[in-house]
Amino acid sequence: MAVPQISGPGVLSLLTPVVISHLTGVALYTLPVMAQHTAVEHFPVSEMEAVVLTAIAIYTAGLALPHNTHRVLSGEGTEEGWRVLKLVAVLYMAVLLGCTALINFSLGFILALTLVPVAAFVTPHVPRVLSAFVMVLLSPGCTLLFSVFVYQELQEVPVTLLEGWNLFLSVISQGILDHNLYGSLVYPLISLFIYPCWLLLWNILFWK
């Protein structure tokens, strides 16, 4: 009598989005500084502008890169596959938020306000366009942008959209500069851990 085989999510279907999401984070961490001289040679920008624009370009490209990465080597995904991937992403996020809160409670609190709702509602079965729009608004980059405006409001120095955008660019450049000069951990934390964690949830939304 043959024993029926129970199909489950393949290792590649789970490993592929995890690896690609973290490689995107590594690119976000390393390439802006490494490519600044090349960018200055080919474009009319300063070195700091080249670093910031490269970081934004990699961050934006990451939104398109991980779509359906589970199918790169393993074909169609399974219902069990995205559930297991979500479990991995939620456990990863819980450890990440816990460790971040121990180092910087305010940063951990802001991340929890944005990442936890995303992790709660995201599945492949929710309305995709609306959910993608909400996820982008709650992504680390947009959270940083909104934080700039909120901070200015709390300081009773409101800014226009253009001024806020320029402040946002300066915050990114200052974060990268502080990391390279003083060893600040905020930029590597966002690029190597927080952004890849968000990308795992982004993959779940586009799971097929």
Side-chain angles (χ1 to χ4, degrees), residues 48-95:
M48 188 52 66
E49 288 174 335
V51 170
V52 174
L53 293 177
T54 303
I56 293 176
I58 295 172
Y59 181 92
T60 305
L63 301 182
L65 180 64
H67 289 185
N68 299 321
T69 51
H70 59 282
R71 298 197 299 168
V72 171
L73 297 175
S74 57
E76 292 292 330
T78 62
E79 184 74 12
E80 294 82 2
W82 74 262
R83 293 180 184 275
V84 175
L85 181 61
K86 184 171 182 177
L87 175 62
V88 172
V90 169
L91 292 176
Y92 181 20
M93 182 183 66
V95 174

Side-chain angles (χ1 to χ4, degrees), residues 112-196:
L113 285 180
T114 55
L115 290 178
V116 171
V118 171
F121 82 80
V122 66
T123 73
H125 309 303
V126 294
R128 186 159 296 174
V129 175
L130 177 61
S131 299
F133 177 73
V134 173
M135 286 191 67
V136 170
L137 290 181
L138 296 177
S139 66
C142 287
T143 300
L144 179 59
L145 177 61
F146 297 148
S147 297
V148 169
F149 287 96
V150 172
Y151 176 79
Q152 293 299 125
E153 290 291 338
L154 294 177
Q155 295 294 314
E156 297 184 353
V157 187
V159 294
T160 63
L161 290 177
L162 180 58
E163 292 172 339
W165 176 256
N166 290 330
L167 284 174
F168 170 68
L169 298 181
S170 67
V171 167
I172 296 175
S173 63
Q174 190 63 45
I176 298 175
L177 185 63
D178 287 347
H179 171 62
N180 286 276
L181 292 181
Y182 309 115
S184 171
L185 297 178
V186 175
Y187 181 68
L189 176 67
I190 293 176
S191 58
L192 296 176
F193 298 101
I194 296 172
Y195 184 51

Side-chain angles (χ1 to χ4, degrees), residues 9-18 69-75 207:
V11 174
L12 288 179
S13 67
L14 301 176
L15 188 61
T16 305
V18 173
T69 51
H70 59 282
R71 298 197 299 168
V72 171
L73 297 175
S74 57
W207 189 278

